[in-house]
Amino acid sequence: MGEKYAYLRVSTREQNEDRQLAAIEGYGIPDDHIFLDKESGKNFDRPNYIRMKGILKKGDLLYIKSIDRLGRNYNEILEEWRILTKLKEADIVVIDMPLLDTRIGRDLTGTLISDLVLQILSYVAENEYRNIKQRQKEGIIAAKLNGVKFGRPRIELPESFYAAADKWKQGELTIEQAAREAGVSSSTFYRRVKDIKTSTLRNKIFQQDILPK
């Protein structure tokens, strides 16, 4: 008998792995044999998956809750499954899909059925991932159309910015001196000056283009 391992994955650090931990309870898996990644399933470039893969050996048994916890890329799921079961000769149990248990059904029919189930579930995992990304994209577009702003809110410029910008325009200050006087970094100063050039605030401050030709 080999060692028992479990692999868990959640997509973000905000998500909770408790459901996956509950699913592997009772299988006698040592705590130091449980590997968790808080990473996207779009590929297998995950630190703890790579660690686990390096440890697994012939006769070991790997538990995962569902195939999408392993990954969400159809071709890569099939390839990783082949590496783990054929090259490393470890067994895999997918808890939510009893047909995906490499310890059973090793005859021709059983292998055919498990291969078909694996391909179907891998396809579903990738398709769901694409649908999630598409819904996120559509949601962002809809939010922007409704005036929702993304990213960090812009800092309100102090009144000293406008005076410093006017002095810079007149050549009285270098951009570094003007930025210092305005209380912002040089890059922020120049970026906001460029914004003002094309904004409705332009006429409030400048009678002519502020940016050097």
Side-chain angles (χ1 to χ4, degrees):
M1 288 289 293
E3 302 286 336
K4 292 181 178 180
Y5 295 88
Y7 179 71
L8 289 63
R9 184 186 66 79
V10 291
S11 297
T12 69
R13 296 192 177 278
E14 288 72 32
Q15 290 181 338
N16 195 297
E17 65 274 10
D18 286 352
R19 287 193 301 121
Q20 294 175 69
L21 286 169
I24 64 173
E25 280 186 7
Y27 288 104
I29 305 167
D31 289 346
D32 60 351
H33 284 196
I34 299 173
F35 293 83
L36 167 67
D37 278 314
K38 296 194 173 185
E39 302 273 350
S40 165
K42 64 181 180 180
N43 59 51
F44 283 84
D45 186 20
R46 308 174 220 135
N48 284 319
Y49 177 81
I50 292 170
R51 280 183 57 220
M52 179 207 68
K53 183 178 173 182
I55 292 171
L56 276 180
K57 61 187 184 302
K58 182 177 180 178
D60 287 343
L61 179 58
L62 173 64
Y63 289 90
I64 56 174
K65 184 178 186 297
S66 57
I67 201 68
D68 64 342
R69 298 304 89 200
L70 184 63
R72 286 190 177 276
N73 181 293
Y74 176 81
N75 290 323
E76 291 191 14
I77 291 173
L78 299 182
E79 177 61 13
E80 290 298 316
W81 190 276
R82 184 190 69 82
I83 291 171
L84 298 179
T85 61
K86 306 299 184 190
L87 297 186
K88 288 186 167 289
E89 299 184 78
D91 281 308
I92 303 177
V93 173
V94 179
I95 296 170
D96 285 356
M97 180 51 63
L99 285 174
L100 289 181
D101 183 340
T102 60
R103 299 171 301 174
I104 60 176
R106 294 182 183 272
D107 60 7
L108 184 60
T109 302
T111 301
L112 174 63
I113 292 172
S114 63
D115 285 349
L116 288 173
V117 171
L118 175 61
Q119 291 186 48
I120 292 169
L121 292 180
S122 300
Y123 167 80
V124 170
E126 177 168 339
N127 193 55
E128 184 181 0
Y129 174 76
R130 290 185 178 186
N131 287 339
I132 289 171
K133 291 299 180 184
Q134 182 62 30
R135 288 195 295 270
Q136 289 175 341
K137 182 179 178 181
E138 292 170 353
I140 290 171
I141 292 172
K144 285 183 175 178
L145 290 174
N146 287 323
V148 176
K149 303 294 184 182
F150 291 89
R152 292 182 299 177
R154 282 204 158 188
I155 299 173
E156 190 68 28
L157 291 172
E159 286 300 322
S160 58
F161 172 86
Y162 304 109
D166 192 50
K167 289 180 183 179
W168 177 63
K169 183 194 75 167
Q170 301 299 332
E172 298 174 14
L173 298 175
T174 66
I175 194 166
E176 290 79 11
Q177 292 170 332
R180 225 174 7 251
E181 191 168 302
V184 297
S185 68
S186 297
S187 58
T188 297
F189 178 84
Y190 192 74
R191 185 176 66 253
R192 297 303 292 272
V193 164
K194 286 179 67 178
D195 290 345
I196 290 171
K197 181 184 177 185
T198 56
S199 75
T200 56
L201 294 176
R202 178 180 177 183
N203 292 331
K204 174 183 176 183
I205 312 164
F206 307 105
Q207 299 301 314
Q208 57 185 1
D209 288 345
I210 188 171
L211 296 178
K213 301 297 184 186

